[in-house]
Amino acid sequence: MSVYVIGHKSPDTDSVTAAIAYAALMKAKGEDYVPAVSGKLNPESEMVLKQFGFATPELLTDATGKKIALVDHSDLTQAPDNLNAGEVVAVVDHHKIGDVTTNQPIFFFNMPVGCTGTVLKILYDMEGVKVEPKVAGLMLAAILSDTVNFKSPTTTDADKKAVKELAAIAGVTDTEGLFMEMLKAKSAVAGVPAMDLLHRDYKDFDMNGKKVGVGQLELATLDQVADMRDALYNAMKEQKGTERHSVLLMLTDVVKEGTDLMVISDDPALIEGAFGDKLDGVSMWIDGMMSRKKQTVPNLQKAFGC
Amino acid sequence: MSVYVIGHKSPDTDSVTAAIAYAALMKAKGEDYVPAVSGKLNPESEMVLKQFGFATPELLTDATGKKIALVDHSDLTQAPDNLNAGEVVAVVDHHKIGDVTTNQPIFFFNMPVGCTGTVLKILYDMEGVKVEPKVAGLMLAAILSDTVNFKSPTTTDADKKAVKELAAIAGVTDTEGLFMEMLKAKSAVAGVPAMDLLHRDYKDFDMNGKKVGVGQLELATLDQVADMRDALYNAMKEQKGTERHSVLLMLTDVVKEGTDLMVISDDPALIEGAFGDKLDGVSMWIDGMMSRKKQTVPNLQKAFGC
């Protein structure tokens, strides 16, 4: 019976490429391992697979009766449905230890590094198996994506070492260029309706009884949305309606490492106070702001007296 | 803050030596790791530590406020008390995946092999750290113990490879001799009261309304109890009293891989039928019988109509 290697739900580039790379390692060892995905690929992952010549892995959403190797997660909620009606035979990951348990001893390899791709590179070395150049390209792309080209605080020396070695194997001389291509794919906005862009990564929060919406668009450069600012503002206005106190849209420039924060609010001064700056028209540039979860929301909560 | 490396409760040789060996590996990498034990050492572990020149690791029963690396288990019930009031920073194991979870990514390395000592040998190699000869002796002893000198069905090629390499590092030319020394320590009976020997590893079972007690003594040779058979039988008789239907004592010869089964019963023919053999006096030799859980009890249950 084949073992299906699968990453988490709402797959990202690490989950998709790790499934392919781990299946390839096990195939090289003579085992029948098949990569799979839990859902539709995002534009970045699609671009990466195309770049290195891979088709989209088979879709698998129900683990019933199947042998499963988990990559990039060890939490039941992120795993395929009915995992307990299947059999987990291996886990390769770089996250906190989740709640997946087994009845038999299995291979479980988790390291506190920036990406499963890095764990897999170490595993290939441990097993004495050469990484195929195409597969090395996938693993390389995953590490650049997960570590935001080494800018994420999760980056370790092991990630940098793996990128160096994988780039040599894959024949990629310009990893910076590869990262920018991925970022462009991820942040593609051309032809996408403004309301869809606002909702691409959007959440409503309760701020001391007031409803506040915050969306985020990760961009290679703010130029990508230069012609769309009025349309985005109109979408925000529509989203706000009378129900919400404020709607914010983070236009995050991943290269410059900052955010142009668009704001529409019943109390603009309150929002300005939250971030210690003045709006220049309908937005303000905030240097170093990258994370909604770790930067934007905590400042808003403080300003709203939560 | 030091990290305490600790095995499971009721420590065995693998748990004790793995704590020492993993702490030594991390110390070699410049980390402050200290071996610990969850309880009193068994005679085999005491002999192994003495043989290779180690003192008993520090006792640690409460994890509150401590950083903990778990070896040889990943189950909360087997871990030190209040593990959730401490912080698990690493797991190295060879069992099924247990219910220990973490809030942060950690190093978690579990392999389906016969012993944590084997996993640790692979880890030393992966890290490029040389095993100290004394520590290699401990790891070697643990693998011989856990795999019953390669006779256990849990034995893998990785265990055999590790034993070969560790024996060379430790300068142990006669691993068979080491195993026999450990077995003698484990099965020491001289000077121990017969009732204590009966209770060394004893359990009562309900067999279709009848109470049946089964004890087991693992021996290097049956000669160890040759002079004590009458005393053991009297202890069994006392244990049986009027309350129990039968009391059995498995005198298991680990080298010959069989058990001399001592029996006292209200219905000896029923017990004979359970194992398809006749009593020769008060015992019968059953070839290949090694496990109470997997062999003795299931046959009794069937005979008692459970």
Side-chain angles (χ1 to χ4, degrees), chain A residues 94-98 100-102 104-110 112 126, chain B residues 94-98 100-102 104-110 112 126:
Chain A
H94 71 117
H95 292 95
K96 68 188 183 65
I97 306 306
V100 166
T101 60
T102 65
Q104 297 294 328
I106 65 164
F107 182 71
F108 193 124
F109 192 30
N110 194 88
M126 198 167 100
Chain B
H94 72 119
H95 292 95
K96 68 187 183 64
I97 306 305
V100 165
T101 60
T102 65
Q104 298 293 329
I106 64 163
F107 181 71
F108 193 124
F109 192 30
N110 193 88
M126 199 168 99

PDB file of all heavy atoms in Angstrom, chain A residues 94-98 100-102 104-110 112 126, chain B residues 94-98 100-102 104-110 112 126:
ATOM      1  N   HIS A  94       8.861  21.237  11.446  1.00  0.00           N
ATOM      2  CA  HIS A  94       9.701  22.245  12.120  1.00  0.00           C
ATOM      3  C   HIS A  94       8.858  23.126  13.052  1.00  0.00           C
ATOM      4  O   HIS A  94       9.312  24.208  13.430  1.00  0.00           O
ATOM      5  CB  HIS A  94      10.451  23.098  11.084  1.00  0.00           C
ATOM      6  CG  HIS A  94       9.568  24.055  10.315  1.00  0.00           C
ATOM      7  ND1 HIS A  94       9.712  25.422  10.381  1.00  0.00           N
ATOM      8  CD2 HIS A  94       8.530  23.831   9.485  1.00  0.00           C
ATOM      9  CE1 HIS A  94       8.803  25.996   9.610  1.00  0.00           C
ATOM     10  NE2 HIS A  94       8.079  25.059   9.047  1.00  0.00           N
ATOM     11  N   HIS A  95       7.658  22.671  13.406  1.00  0.00           N
ATOM     12  CA  HIS A  95       6.779  23.455  14.286  1.00  0.00           C
ATOM     13  C   HIS A  95       6.807  22.923  15.720  1.00  0.00           C
ATOM     14  O   HIS A  95       7.516  21.972  16.027  1.00  0.00           O
ATOM     15  CB  HIS A  95       5.340  23.400  13.763  1.00  0.00           C
ATOM     16  CG  HIS A  95       5.143  24.115  12.466  1.00  0.00           C
ATOM     17  ND1 HIS A  95       5.197  23.476  11.259  1.00  0.00           N
ATOM     18  CD2 HIS A  95       4.931  25.422  12.193  1.00  0.00           C
ATOM     19  CE1 HIS A  95       5.004  24.359  10.288  1.00  0.00           C
ATOM     20  NE2 HIS A  95       4.842  25.552  10.821  1.00  0.00           N
ATOM     21  N   LYS A  96       5.985  23.553  16.564  1.00  0.00           N
ATOM     22  CA  LYS A  96       5.756  23.006  17.902  1.00  0.00           C
ATOM     23  C   LYS A  96       5.195  21.583  17.770  1.00  0.00           C
ATOM     24  O   LYS A  96       4.615  21.243  16.741  1.00  0.00           O
ATOM     25  CB  LYS A  96       4.782  23.881  18.682  1.00  0.00           C
ATOM     26  CG  LYS A  96       3.351  23.873  18.142  1.00  0.00           C
ATOM     27  CD  LYS A  96       2.508  24.898  18.853  1.00  0.00           C
ATOM     28  CE  LYS A  96       1.067  24.855  18.372  1.00  0.00           C
ATOM     29  NZ  LYS A  96       0.361  23.602  18.694  1.00  0.00           N
ATOM     30  N   ILE A  97       5.350  20.766  18.832  1.00  0.00           N
ATOM     31  CA  ILE A  97       4.861  19.390  18.781  1.00  0.00           C
ATOM     32  C   ILE A  97       3.353  19.397  19.001  1.00  0.00           C
ATOM     33  O   ILE A  97       2.863  19.919  20.002  1.00  0.00           O
ATOM     34  CB  ILE A  97       5.541  18.519  19.860  1.00  0.00           C
ATOM     35  CG1 ILE A  97       7.067  18.626  19.742  1.00  0.00           C
ATOM     36  CG2 ILE A  97       5.072  17.072  19.758  1.00  0.00           C
ATOM     37  CD1 ILE A  97       7.638  18.310  18.384  1.00  0.00           C
ATOM     38  N   GLY A  98       2.617  18.831  18.047  1.00  0.00           N
ATOM     39  CA  GLY A  98       1.164  18.848  18.094  1.00  0.00           C
ATOM     40  C   GLY A  98       0.599  17.630  18.797  1.00  0.00           C
ATOM     41  O   GLY A  98       1.301  16.940  19.545  1.00  0.00           O
ATOM     42  N   VAL A 100      -0.802  14.827  17.444  1.00  0.00           N
ATOM     43  CA  VAL A 100      -0.867  13.555  16.737  1.00  0.00           C
ATOM     44  C   VAL A 100      -0.147  12.491  17.564  1.00  0.00           C
ATOM     45  O   VAL A 100       0.992  12.696  17.975  1.00  0.00           O
ATOM     46  CB  VAL A 100      -0.213  13.665  15.339  1.00  0.00           C
ATOM     47  CG1 VAL A 100       0.042  12.294  14.744  1.00  0.00           C
ATOM     48  CG2 VAL A 100      -1.090  14.486  14.404  1.00  0.00           C
ATOM     49  N   THR A 101      -0.832  11.378  17.859  1.00  0.00           N
ATOM     50  CA  THR A 101      -0.199  10.262  18.563  1.00  0.00           C
ATOM     51  C   THR A 101      -0.281   9.018  17.680  1.00  0.00           C
ATOM     52  O   THR A 101      -1.002   9.022  16.682  1.00  0.00           O
ATOM     53  CB  THR A 101      -0.895   9.969  19.909  1.00  0.00           C
ATOM     54  OG1 THR A 101      -2.263   9.642  19.653  1.00  0.00           O
ATOM     55  CG2 THR A 101      -0.834  11.172  20.846  1.00  0.00           C
ATOM     56  N   THR A 102       0.464   7.977  18.027  1.00  0.00           N
ATOM     57  CA  THR A 102       0.429   6.735  17.250  1.00  0.00           C
ATOM     58  C   THR A 102       0.387   5.537  18.195  1.00  0.00           C
ATOM     59  O   THR A 102       0.678   5.675  19.381  1.00  0.00           O
ATOM     60  CB  THR A 102       1.674   6.589  16.345  1.00  0.00           C
ATOM     61  OG1 THR A 102       2.834   6.456  17.178  1.00  0.00           O
ATOM     62  CG2 THR A 102       1.843   7.782  15.427  1.00  0.00           C
ATOM     63  N   GLN A 104       2.097   2.751  17.272  1.00  0.00           N
ATOM     64  CA  GLN A 104       3.336   2.046  16.948  1.00  0.00           C
ATOM     65  C   GLN A 104       4.483   3.046  16.904  1.00  0.00           C
ATOM     66  O   GLN A 104       4.254   4.223  16.648  1.00  0.00           O
ATOM     67  CB  GLN A 104       3.210   1.389  15.556  1.00  0.00           C
ATOM     68  CG  GLN A 104       2.133   0.333  15.443  1.00  0.00           C
ATOM     69  CD  GLN A 104       2.430  -0.887  16.284  1.00  0.00           C
ATOM     70  OE1 GLN A 104       3.588  -1.249  16.485  1.00  0.00           O
ATOM     71  NE2 GLN A 104       1.395  -1.516  16.815  1.00  0.00           N
ATOM     72  N   PRO A 105       5.717   2.575  17.128  1.00  0.00           N
ATOM     73  CA  PRO A 105       6.860   3.474  16.942  1.00  0.00           C
ATOM     74  C   PRO A 105       6.955   3.893  15.468  1.00  0.00           C
ATOM     75  O   PRO A 105       6.778   3.067  14.577  1.00  0.00           O
ATOM     76  CB  PRO A 105       8.070   2.603  17.315  1.00  0.00           C
ATOM     77  CG  PRO A 105       7.529   1.464  18.096  1.00  0.00           C
ATOM     78  CD  PRO A 105       6.145   1.226  17.566  1.00  0.00           C
ATOM     79  N   ILE A 106       7.200   5.170  15.219  1.00  0.00           N
ATOM     80  CA  ILE A 106       7.352   5.664  13.841  1.00  0.00           C
ATOM     81  C   ILE A 106       8.555   6.590  13.778  1.00  0.00           C
ATOM     82  O   ILE A 106       9.137   6.947  14.801  1.00  0.00           O
ATOM     83  CB  ILE A 106       6.108   6.455  13.366  1.00  0.00           C
ATOM     84  CG1 ILE A 106       5.951   7.743  14.214  1.00  0.00           C
ATOM     85  CG2 ILE A 106       4.854   5.607  13.416  1.00  0.00           C
ATOM     86  CD1 ILE A 106       5.024   8.767  13.593  1.00  0.00           C
ATOM     87  N   PHE A 107       8.921   6.999  12.582  1.00  0.00           N
ATOM     88  CA  PHE A 107       9.955   8.005  12.415  1.00  0.00           C
ATOM     89  C   PHE A 107       9.323   9.383  12.614  1.00  0.00           C
ATOM     90  O   PHE A 107       8.370   9.731  11.919  1.00  0.00           O
ATOM     91  CB  PHE A 107      10.573   7.898  11.016  1.00  0.00           C
ATOM     92  CG  PHE A 107      11.677   8.880  10.779  1.00  0.00           C
ATOM     93  CD1 PHE A 107      12.905   8.752  11.417  1.00  0.00           C
ATOM     94  CD2 PHE A 107      11.492   9.956   9.922  1.00  0.00           C
ATOM     95  CE1 PHE A 107      13.920   9.666  11.215  1.00  0.00           C
ATOM     96  CE2 PHE A 107      12.509  10.878   9.707  1.00  0.00           C
ATOM     97  CZ  PHE A 107      13.723  10.730  10.352  1.00  0.00           C
ATOM     98  N   PHE A 108       9.822  10.138  13.577  1.00  0.00           N
ATOM     99  CA  PHE A 108       9.295  11.477  13.883  1.00  0.00           C
ATOM    100  C   PHE A 108      10.500  12.384  14.018  1.00  0.00           C
ATOM    101  O   PHE A 108      11.307  12.222  14.935  1.00  0.00           O
ATOM    102  CB  PHE A 108       8.497  11.438  15.190  1.00  0.00           C
ATOM    103  CG  PHE A 108       7.652  12.666  15.478  1.00  0.00           C
ATOM    104  CD1 PHE A 108       6.285  12.537  15.711  1.00  0.00           C
ATOM    105  CD2 PHE A 108       8.199  13.941  15.528  1.00  0.00           C
ATOM    106  CE1 PHE A 108       5.487  13.653  15.981  1.00  0.00           C
ATOM    107  CE2 PHE A 108       7.413  15.051  15.795  1.00  0.00           C
ATOM    108  CZ  PHE A 108       6.066  14.912  16.025  1.00  0.00           C
ATOM    109  N   PHE A 109      10.636  13.320  13.091  1.00  0.00           N
ATOM    110  CA  PHE A 109      11.833  14.167  13.065  1.00  0.00           C
ATOM    111  C   PHE A 109      11.391  15.624  12.986  1.00  0.00           C
ATOM    112  O   PHE A 109      10.884  16.067  11.966  1.00  0.00           O
ATOM    113  CB  PHE A 109      12.688  13.785  11.842  1.00  0.00           C
ATOM    114  CG  PHE A 109      14.072  14.371  11.840  1.00  0.00           C
ATOM    115  CD1 PHE A 109      14.753  14.653  13.018  1.00  0.00           C
ATOM    116  CD2 PHE A 109      14.724  14.614  10.637  1.00  0.00           C
ATOM    117  CE1 PHE A 109      16.038  15.170  13.011  1.00  0.00           C
ATOM    118  CE2 PHE A 109      16.015  15.133  10.613  1.00  0.00           C
ATOM    119  CZ  PHE A 109      16.675  15.404  11.804  1.00  0.00           C
ATOM    120  N   ASN A 110      11.540  16.326  14.104  1.00  0.00           N
ATOM    121  CA  ASN A 110      11.153  17.739  14.173  1.00  0.00           C
ATOM    122  C   ASN A 110      12.360  18.552  14.630  1.00  0.00           C
ATOM    123  O   ASN A 110      13.009  18.201  15.612  1.00  0.00           O
ATOM    124  CB  ASN A 110      10.017  17.915  15.185  1.00  0.00           C
ATOM    125  CG  ASN A 110       9.346  19.264  15.079  1.00  0.00           C
ATOM    126  OD1 ASN A 110       8.413  19.439  14.306  1.00  0.00           O
ATOM    127  ND2 ASN A 110       9.807  20.239  15.855  1.00  0.00           N
ATOM    128  N   PRO A 112      13.841  22.689  15.421  1.00  0.00           N
ATOM    129  CA  PRO A 112      13.460  24.102  15.566  1.00  0.00           C
ATOM    130  C   PRO A 112      14.217  24.979  14.570  1.00  0.00           C
ATOM    131  O   PRO A 112      15.081  25.759  14.947  1.00  0.00           O
ATOM    132  CB  PRO A 112      13.846  24.409  17.019  1.00  0.00           C
ATOM    133  CG  PRO A 112      14.948  23.461  17.343  1.00  0.00           C
ATOM    134  CD  PRO A 112      14.741  22.235  16.497  1.00  0.00           C
ATOM    135  N   MET A 126      21.643  12.706   6.239  1.00  0.00           N
ATOM    136  CA  MET A 126      21.702  11.643   7.229  1.00  0.00           C
ATOM    137  C   MET A 126      21.554  10.282   6.558  1.00  0.00           C
ATOM    138  O   MET A 126      22.216   9.316   6.930  1.00  0.00           O
ATOM    139  CB  MET A 126      20.546  11.863   8.211  1.00  0.00           C
ATOM    140  CG  MET A 126      20.644  11.171   9.511  1.00  0.00           C
ATOM    141  SD  MET A 126      19.365  11.888  10.613  1.00  0.00           S
ATOM    142  CE  MET A 126      18.085  10.649  10.497  1.00  0.00           C
TER     143      MET A 126
ATOM    144  N   HIS B  94      12.278   5.933  21.022  1.00  0.00           N
ATOM    145  CA  HIS B  94      12.081   4.858  20.028  1.00  0.00           C
ATOM    146  C   HIS B  94      10.728   4.173  20.209  1.00  0.00           C
ATOM    147  O   HIS B  94      10.539   3.063  19.711  1.00  0.00           O
ATOM    148  CB  HIS B  94      13.220   3.833  20.108  1.00  0.00           C
ATOM    149  CG  HIS B  94      13.182   2.962  21.332  1.00  0.00           C
ATOM    150  ND1 HIS B  94      13.050   1.593  21.278  1.00  0.00           N
ATOM    151  CD2 HIS B  94      13.266   3.284  22.646  1.00  0.00           C
ATOM    152  CE1 HIS B  94      13.057   1.092  22.518  1.00  0.00           C
ATOM    153  NE2 HIS B  94      13.191   2.097  23.369  1.00  0.00           N
ATOM    154  N   HIS B  95       9.798   4.826  20.920  1.00  0.00           N
ATOM    155  CA  HIS B  95       8.475   4.249  21.150  1.00  0.00           C
ATOM    156  C   HIS B  95       7.424   4.870  20.229  1.00  0.00           C
ATOM    157  O   HIS B  95       7.736   5.734  19.415  1.00  0.00           O
ATOM    158  CB  HIS B  95       8.057   4.471  22.610  1.00  0.00           C
ATOM    159  CG  HIS B  95       8.874   3.690  23.588  1.00  0.00           C
ATOM    160  ND1 HIS B  95       9.966   4.229  24.234  1.00  0.00           N
ATOM    161  CD2 HIS B  95       8.777   2.413  24.023  1.00  0.00           C
ATOM    162  CE1 HIS B  95      10.493   3.310  25.035  1.00  0.00           C
ATOM    163  NE2 HIS B  95       9.792   2.202  24.922  1.00  0.00           N
ATOM    164  N   LYS B  96       6.164   4.447  20.433  1.00  0.00           N
ATOM    165  CA  LYS B  96       5.048   5.104  19.775  1.00  0.00           C
ATOM    166  C   LYS B  96       5.036   6.572  20.192  1.00  0.00           C
ATOM    167  O   LYS B  96       5.561   6.916  21.255  1.00  0.00           O
ATOM    168  CB  LYS B  96       3.731   4.429  20.152  1.00  0.00           C
ATOM    169  CG  LYS B  96       3.325   4.610  21.610  1.00  0.00           C
ATOM    170  CD  LYS B  96       2.100   3.761  21.922  1.00  0.00           C
ATOM    171  CE  LYS B  96       1.628   3.978  23.338  1.00  0.00           C
ATOM    172  NZ  LYS B  96       1.155   5.342  23.634  1.00  0.00           N
ATOM    173  N   ILE B  97       4.404   7.436  19.383  1.00  0.00           N
ATOM    174  CA  ILE B  97       4.360   8.854  19.700  1.00  0.00           C
ATOM    175  C   ILE B  97       3.307   9.084  20.776  1.00  0.00           C
ATOM    176  O   ILE B  97       2.140   8.723  20.605  1.00  0.00           O
ATOM    177  CB  ILE B  97       4.020   9.696  18.446  1.00  0.00           C
ATOM    178  CG1 ILE B  97       4.997   9.365  17.305  1.00  0.00           C
ATOM    179  CG2 ILE B  97       4.051  11.183  18.783  1.00  0.00           C
ATOM    180  CD1 ILE B  97       6.467   9.519  17.635  1.00  0.00           C
ATOM    181  N   GLY B  98       3.717   9.674  21.899  1.00  0.00           N
ATOM    182  CA  GLY B  98       2.824   9.885  23.030  1.00  0.00           C
ATOM    183  C   GLY B  98       2.111  11.221  22.973  1.00  0.00           C
ATOM    184  O   GLY B  98       2.034  11.863  21.915  1.00  0.00           O
ATOM    185  N   VAL B 100       2.776  14.086  24.692  1.00  0.00           N
ATOM    186  CA  VAL B 100       3.500  15.304  25.073  1.00  0.00           C
ATOM    187  C   VAL B 100       3.411  16.301  23.924  1.00  0.00           C
ATOM    188  O   VAL B 100       3.717  15.963  22.777  1.00  0.00           O
ATOM    189  CB  VAL B 100       4.977  14.985  25.396  1.00  0.00           C
ATOM    190  CG1 VAL B 100       5.811  16.256  25.439  1.00  0.00           C
ATOM    191  CG2 VAL B 100       5.080  14.234  26.719  1.00  0.00           C
ATOM    192  N   THR B 101       2.936  17.518  24.215  1.00  0.00           N
ATOM    193  CA  THR B 101       2.905  18.577  23.206  1.00  0.00           C
ATOM    194  C   THR B 101       3.747  19.753  23.705  1.00  0.00           C
ATOM    195  O   THR B 101       4.121  19.796  24.873  1.00  0.00           O
ATOM    196  CB  THR B 101       1.465  19.069  22.939  1.00  0.00           C
ATOM    197  OG1 THR B 101       0.938  19.578  24.167  1.00  0.00           O
ATOM    198  CG2 THR B 101       0.571  17.941  22.451  1.00  0.00           C
ATOM    199  N   THR B 102       4.055  20.691  22.820  1.00  0.00           N
ATOM    200  CA  THR B 102       4.835  21.868  23.224  1.00  0.00           C
ATOM    201  C   THR B 102       4.235  23.128  22.609  1.00  0.00           C
ATOM    202  O   THR B 102       3.436  23.044  21.671  1.00  0.00           O
ATOM    203  CB  THR B 102       6.300  21.764  22.763  1.00  0.00           C
ATOM    204  OG1 THR B 102       6.342  21.787  21.329  1.00  0.00           O
ATOM    205  CG2 THR B 102       6.964  20.494  23.260  1.00  0.00           C
ATOM    206  N   GLN B 104       6.367  25.576  21.597  1.00  0.00           N
ATOM    207  CA  GLN B 104       7.453  26.060  20.744  1.00  0.00           C
ATOM    208  C   GLN B 104       8.009  24.896  19.926  1.00  0.00           C
ATOM    209  O   GLN B 104       7.909  23.751  20.359  1.00  0.00           O
ATOM    210  CB  GLN B 104       8.595  26.626  21.618  1.00  0.00           C
ATOM    211  CG  GLN B 104       8.210  27.814  22.474  1.00  0.00           C
ATOM    212  CD  GLN B 104       7.876  29.040  21.656  1.00  0.00           C
ATOM    213  OE1 GLN B 104       8.442  29.239  20.566  1.00  0.00           O
ATOM    214  NE2 GLN B 104       6.955  29.861  22.121  1.00  0.00           N
ATOM    215  N   PRO B 105       8.627  25.200  18.767  1.00  0.00           N
ATOM    216  CA  PRO B 105       9.308  24.124  18.032  1.00  0.00           C
ATOM    217  C   PRO B 105      10.481  23.594  18.861  1.00  0.00           C
ATOM    218  O   PRO B 105      11.205  24.380  19.468  1.00  0.00           O
ATOM    219  CB  PRO B 105       9.830  24.837  16.774  1.00  0.00           C
ATOM    220  CG  PRO B 105       9.055  26.105  16.666  1.00  0.00           C
ATOM    221  CD  PRO B 105       8.719  26.497  18.081  1.00  0.00           C
ATOM    222  N   ILE B 106      10.635  22.291  18.919  1.00  0.00           N
ATOM    223  CA  ILE B 106      11.747  21.679  19.653  1.00  0.00           C
ATOM    224  C   ILE B 106      12.371  20.591  18.791  1.00  0.00           C
ATOM    225  O   ILE B 106      11.831  20.238  17.739  1.00  0.00           O
ATOM    226  CB  ILE B 106      11.294  21.041  20.983  1.00  0.00           C
ATOM    227  CG1 ILE B 106      10.320  19.869  20.703  1.00  0.00           C
ATOM    228  CG2 ILE B 106      10.653  22.076  21.908  1.00  0.00           C
ATOM    229  CD1 ILE B 106      10.133  18.938  21.885  1.00  0.00           C
ATOM    230  N   PHE B 107      13.480  20.049  19.252  1.00  0.00           N
ATOM    231  CA  PHE B 107      14.069  18.896  18.600  1.00  0.00           C
ATOM    232  C   PHE B 107      13.334  17.641  19.084  1.00  0.00           C
ATOM    233  O   PHE B 107      13.275  17.388  20.287  1.00  0.00           O
ATOM    234  CB  PHE B 107      15.562  18.818  18.930  1.00  0.00           C
ATOM    235  CG  PHE B 107      16.253  17.657  18.260  1.00  0.00           C
ATOM    236  CD1 PHE B 107      16.466  17.661  16.896  1.00  0.00           C
ATOM    237  CD2 PHE B 107      16.684  16.564  18.992  1.00  0.00           C
ATOM    238  CE1 PHE B 107      17.098  16.593  16.262  1.00  0.00           C
ATOM    239  CE2 PHE B 107      17.311  15.484  18.375  1.00  0.00           C
ATOM    240  CZ  PHE B 107      17.516  15.510  17.009  1.00  0.00           C
ATOM    241  N   PHE B 108      12.754  16.886  18.173  1.00  0.00           N
ATOM    242  CA  PHE B 108      12.008  15.662  18.501  1.00  0.00           C
ATOM    243  C   PHE B 108      12.471  14.612  17.516  1.00  0.00           C
ATOM    244  O   PHE B 108      12.223  14.718  16.323  1.00  0.00           O
ATOM    245  CB  PHE B 108      10.505  15.912  18.356  1.00  0.00           C
ATOM    246  CG  PHE B 108       9.610  14.834  18.950  1.00  0.00           C
ATOM    247  CD1 PHE B 108       8.655  15.174  19.907  1.00  0.00           C
ATOM    248  CD2 PHE B 108       9.694  13.508  18.560  1.00  0.00           C
ATOM    249  CE1 PHE B 108       7.812  14.206  20.459  1.00  0.00           C
ATOM    250  CE2 PHE B 108       8.857  12.539  19.107  1.00  0.00           C
ATOM    251  CZ  PHE B 108       7.917  12.890  20.050  1.00  0.00           C
ATOM    252  N   PHE B 109      13.160  13.586  18.037  1.00  0.00           N
ATOM    253  CA  PHE B 109      13.757  12.581  17.164  1.00  0.00           C
ATOM    254  C   PHE B 109      13.346  11.210  17.665  1.00  0.00           C
ATOM    255  O   PHE B 109      13.803  10.760  18.717  1.00  0.00           O
ATOM    256  CB  PHE B 109      15.276  12.754  17.185  1.00  0.00           C
ATOM    257  CG  PHE B 109      16.005  11.979  16.116  1.00  0.00           C
ATOM    258  CD1 PHE B 109      15.421  11.695  14.893  1.00  0.00           C
ATOM    259  CD2 PHE B 109      17.312  11.553  16.324  1.00  0.00           C
ATOM    260  CE1 PHE B 109      16.104  10.998  13.902  1.00  0.00           C
ATOM    261  CE2 PHE B 109      18.005  10.859  15.345  1.00  0.00           C
ATOM    262  CZ  PHE B 109      17.408  10.578  14.137  1.00  0.00           C
ATOM    263  N   ASN B 110      12.451  10.560  16.942  1.00  0.00           N
ATOM    264  CA  ASN B 110      11.959   9.235  17.300  1.00  0.00           C
ATOM    265  C   ASN B 110      12.170   8.298  16.118  1.00  0.00           C
ATOM    266  O   ASN B 110      11.817   8.634  14.989  1.00  0.00           O
ATOM    267  CB  ASN B 110      10.465   9.316  17.637  1.00  0.00           C
ATOM    268  CG  ASN B 110       9.947   8.068  18.327  1.00  0.00           C
ATOM    269  OD1 ASN B 110      10.010   7.967  19.556  1.00  0.00           O
ATOM    270  ND2 ASN B 110       9.441   7.110  17.554  1.00  0.00           N
ATOM    271  N   PRO B 112      11.808   4.058  14.762  1.00  0.00           N
ATOM    272  CA  PRO B 112      11.262   2.731  15.087  1.00  0.00           C
ATOM    273  C   PRO B 112      12.371   1.683  15.145  1.00  0.00           C
ATOM    274  O   PRO B 112      12.459   0.818  14.283  1.00  0.00           O
ATOM    275  CB  PRO B 112      10.279   2.473  13.939  1.00  0.00           C
ATOM    276  CG  PRO B 112      10.811   3.272  12.787  1.00  0.00           C
ATOM    277  CD  PRO B 112      11.555   4.444  13.373  1.00  0.00           C
ATOM    278  N   MET B 126      25.141  12.100  13.289  1.00  0.00           N
ATOM    279  CA  MET B 126      24.534  13.225  12.570  1.00  0.00           C
ATOM    280  C   MET B 126      25.182  14.534  12.996  1.00  0.00           C
ATOM    281  O   MET B 126      25.411  15.426  12.175  1.00  0.00           O
ATOM    282  CB  MET B 126      23.042  13.234  12.919  1.00  0.00           C
ATOM    283  CG  MET B 126      22.159  13.995  12.003  1.00  0.00           C
ATOM    284  SD  MET B 126      20.426  13.554  12.421  1.00  0.00           S
ATOM    285  CE  MET B 126      19.953  14.945  13.426  1.00  0.00           C
TER     286      MET B 126
END
